[in-house]
Short mmCIF file of all heavy atoms in Angstrom, two decimals:
data_model
loop_
_atom_site.label_atom_id
_atom_site.label_comp_id
_atom_site.label_asym_id
_atom_site.label_seq_id
_atom_site.Cartn_x
_atom_site.Cartn_y
_atom_site.Cartn_z
N ARG W 962 -149.72 -168.02 -165.60
CA ARG W 962 -149.79 -166.56 -165.73
C ARG W 962 -149.29 -166.10 -167.09
O ARG W 962 -149.84 -165.22 -167.72
CB ARG W 962 -148.98 -165.94 -164.61
CG ARG W 962 -148.92 -164.43 -164.56
CD ARG W 962 -147.94 -163.97 -163.47
NE ARG W 962 -146.61 -164.33 -163.80
CZ ARG W 962 -145.72 -164.81 -162.93
NH1 ARG W 962 -146.01 -164.97 -161.66
NH2 ARG W 962 -144.49 -165.10 -163.32
N GLU W 963 -148.25 -166.77 -167.61
CA GLU W 963 -147.59 -166.26 -168.81
C GLU W 963 -147.81 -167.16 -170.05
O GLU W 963 -147.25 -166.88 -171.09
CB GLU W 963 -146.10 -166.07 -168.53
CG GLU W 963 -145.86 -165.06 -167.43
CD GLU W 963 -144.42 -164.75 -167.17
OE1 GLU W 963 -143.59 -164.90 -168.07
OE2 GLU W 963 -144.13 -164.32 -166.05
N GLY W 964 -148.57 -168.22 -169.87
CA GLY W 964 -148.82 -169.11 -171.02
C GLY W 964 -147.55 -169.77 -171.49
O GLY W 964 -147.32 -169.95 -172.69
N LYS W 965 -146.68 -170.13 -170.58
CA LYS W 965 -145.39 -170.77 -170.91
C LYS W 965 -145.29 -172.08 -170.19
O LYS W 965 -146.09 -172.37 -169.30
CB LYS W 965 -144.24 -169.87 -170.50
CG LYS W 965 -144.07 -168.60 -171.28
CD LYS W 965 -142.79 -167.94 -170.85
CE LYS W 965 -142.23 -166.98 -171.91
NZ LYS W 965 -142.92 -165.72 -172.03
N THR W 966 -144.27 -172.89 -170.53
CA THR W 966 -144.06 -174.12 -169.78
C THR W 966 -143.27 -173.75 -168.51
O THR W 966 -142.65 -172.69 -168.44
CB THR W 966 -143.23 -175.14 -170.54
OG1 THR W 966 -141.92 -174.61 -170.70
CG2 THR W 966 -143.84 -175.45 -171.93
N VAL W 967 -143.31 -174.64 -167.54
CA VAL W 967 -142.55 -174.35 -166.31
C VAL W 967 -141.06 -174.22 -166.58
O VAL W 967 -140.37 -173.44 -165.96
CB VAL W 967 -142.78 -175.44 -165.22
CG1 VAL W 967 -144.12 -175.26 -164.54
CG2 VAL W 967 -142.64 -176.84 -165.75
N TRP W 968 -140.58 -174.98 -167.57
CA TRP W 968 -139.17 -174.96 -167.91
C TRP W 968 -138.80 -173.59 -168.53
O TRP W 968 -137.74 -173.03 -168.26
CB TRP W 968 -138.78 -176.08 -168.88
CG TRP W 968 -139.28 -177.41 -168.37
CD1 TRP W 968 -140.39 -178.07 -168.76
CD2 TRP W 968 -138.62 -178.24 -167.36
NE1 TRP W 968 -140.53 -179.26 -168.05
CE2 TRP W 968 -139.44 -179.37 -167.21
CE3 TRP W 968 -137.45 -178.09 -166.65
CZ2 TRP W 968 -139.13 -180.39 -166.30
CZ3 TRP W 968 -137.15 -179.12 -165.73
CH2 TRP W 968 -137.95 -180.24 -165.57
N GLU W 969 -139.71 -173.07 -169.36
CA GLU W 969 -139.48 -171.74 -169.96
C GLU W 969 -139.49 -170.67 -168.89
O GLU W 969 -138.69 -169.73 -168.92
CB GLU W 969 -140.54 -171.43 -171.04
CG GLU W 969 -140.34 -172.21 -172.32
CD GLU W 969 -141.57 -172.20 -173.25
OE1 GLU W 969 -142.69 -171.81 -172.81
OE2 GLU W 969 -141.44 -172.58 -174.37
N ILE W 970 -140.42 -170.82 -167.94
CA ILE W 970 -140.49 -169.84 -166.84
C ILE W 970 -139.20 -169.81 -166.05
O ILE W 970 -138.61 -168.77 -165.78
CB ILE W 970 -141.70 -170.18 -165.92
CG1 ILE W 970 -143.01 -169.83 -166.60
CG2 ILE W 970 -141.61 -169.48 -164.55
CD1 ILE W 970 -143.25 -168.32 -166.81
N ALA W 971 -138.71 -171.02 -165.73
CA ALA W 971 -137.46 -171.13 -164.94
C ALA W 971 -136.32 -170.47 -165.70
O ALA W 971 -135.59 -169.64 -165.17
CB ALA W 971 -137.13 -172.59 -164.64
N ASP W 972 -136.20 -170.79 -167.00
CA ASP W 972 -135.08 -170.21 -167.82
C ASP W 972 -135.19 -168.67 -167.86
O ASP W 972 -134.17 -167.96 -167.70
CB ASP W 972 -135.10 -170.76 -169.22
CG ASP W 972 -134.55 -172.18 -169.29
OD1 ASP W 972 -133.87 -172.59 -168.30
OD2 ASP W 972 -134.73 -172.87 -170.29
N LYS W 973 -136.40 -168.20 -168.09
CA LYS W 973 -136.57 -166.78 -168.20
C LYS W 973 -136.16 -166.03 -166.92
O LYS W 973 -135.42 -165.04 -166.96
CB LYS W 973 -138.07 -166.46 -168.50
CG LYS W 973 -138.41 -164.99 -168.47
CD LYS W 973 -139.87 -164.72 -168.79
CE LYS W 973 -140.21 -163.27 -168.51
NZ LYS W 973 -141.63 -162.98 -168.75
#
Side-chain angles (χ1 to χ4, degrees):
R962 181 186 65 221
E963 299 185 25
K965 291 188 157 75
T966 68
V967 282
W968 309 98
E969 285 166 346
I970 287 292
D972 282 346
K973 172 178 169 184

